[in-house]
Structure formats: structure tokens, C-alpha cells
């Protein structure tokens, strides 16, 4: 089951994340799921300053939302990870209908 929560990030946070992504080091997305036969994307390099800062921004924004906490009941959460898709890349995930 998916939960679509609108406007989790402020415009300033979106700008900050886009700036982090522009200067980030990217790695093969299979690092986070090496056994996937379909995953084909890039992700921020684990442990890099961009990964740490973006995970903090995203994690705090998500956890502040009552809808998320009421839906997921999280005790702890894996740090969020920014991914990037270039032409021809894909994932096995199904898009959320809008």
C-alpha cells in the first residue's frame, strides 16, 4: 500500500536538495540492491556529505508529517536516498498514480 503525502518539503528544501544533487558523487544504484535483475539507476554515494545532508533533510521532513507517522508507525527508518535516472535507466517500481 502506498501513501501519497503532498508538500513534504518546503521550496527552500527542494532548492537545497537540487543543489546537493548537482555537486554530488553518484554511484551505481545496485549498491543498495545487488541482487536486483531490473534495477538500473544511480544513487548518491553512501556516506558522502551530500548523502548525509540530504538524508537528514528528507528524514526530518518525513518524520514531521503526522500522516506518515499515523500510516507507518515507524520505530526507526532507513535514511532516505536520492536516486537519479538517465535516459534508458529504469526500476521495477510501479509509479504512484496521480
Amino acid at each position: 500500500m502506498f501513501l501519497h503525502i503532498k508538500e513534504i518539503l518546503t521550496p527552500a528544501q527542494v532548492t537545497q536538495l537540487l543543489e546537493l544533487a548537482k555537486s554530488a558523487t553518484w554511484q551505481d544504484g545496485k549498491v543498495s540492491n545487488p541482487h536486483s535483475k531490473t534495477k538500473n539507476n544511480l544513487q548518491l554515494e553512501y556516506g558522502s556529505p551530500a548523502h548525509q545532508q540530504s538524508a537528514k533533510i528528507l528524514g526530518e521532513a518525513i518524520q514531521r508529517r503526522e500522516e506518515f507517522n499515523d500510516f507507518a508507525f515507524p520505530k526507526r527508518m532507513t535514511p532516505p536516498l536520492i536516486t537519479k535516472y538517465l535516459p534508458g535507466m529504469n526500476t521495477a517500481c510501479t509509479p504512484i498514480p496521480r
Side-chain angles (χ1 to χ4, degrees):
M1 180 183 272
F2 290 98
L3 173 66
H4 183 197
I5 303 172
K6 295 181 180 183
E7 300 175 5
I8 290 176
L9 299 170
T10 66
Q13 289 171 317
V14 171
T15 299
Q16 189 177 10
L17 290 169
L18 288 170
E19 289 302 316
L20 283 170
K22 284 181 190 176
S23 62
T25 302
W26 297 88
Q27 64 185 12
D28 187 335
K30 286 192 177 178
V31 168
S32 61
N33 188 357
H35 304 292
S36 174
K37 294 180 180 167
T38 58
K39 188 172 184 183
N40 180 16
N41 65 357
L42 299 173
Q43 62 190 39
L44 289 180
E45 183 177 39
Y46 278 122
S48 69
H51 174 250
Q52 292 173 353
Q53 193 172 0
S54 66
K56 183 177 186 320
I57 293 166
L58 290 164
E60 288 175 357
I62 291 167
Q63 291 176 351
R64 273 195 303 270
R65 295 302 294 264
E66 187 176 338
E67 306 99 307
F68 172 77
N69 291 305
D70 289 347
F71 180 80
F73 302 104
K75 272 191 174 178
R76 57 188 177 150
M77 192 170 85
T78 301
L81 179 62
I82 295 178
T83 59
K84 176 164 82 169
Y85 295 84
L86 299 175
M89 292 184 163
N90 60 59
T91 183
C93 294
T94 303
I96 298 172
R98 302 205 185 245

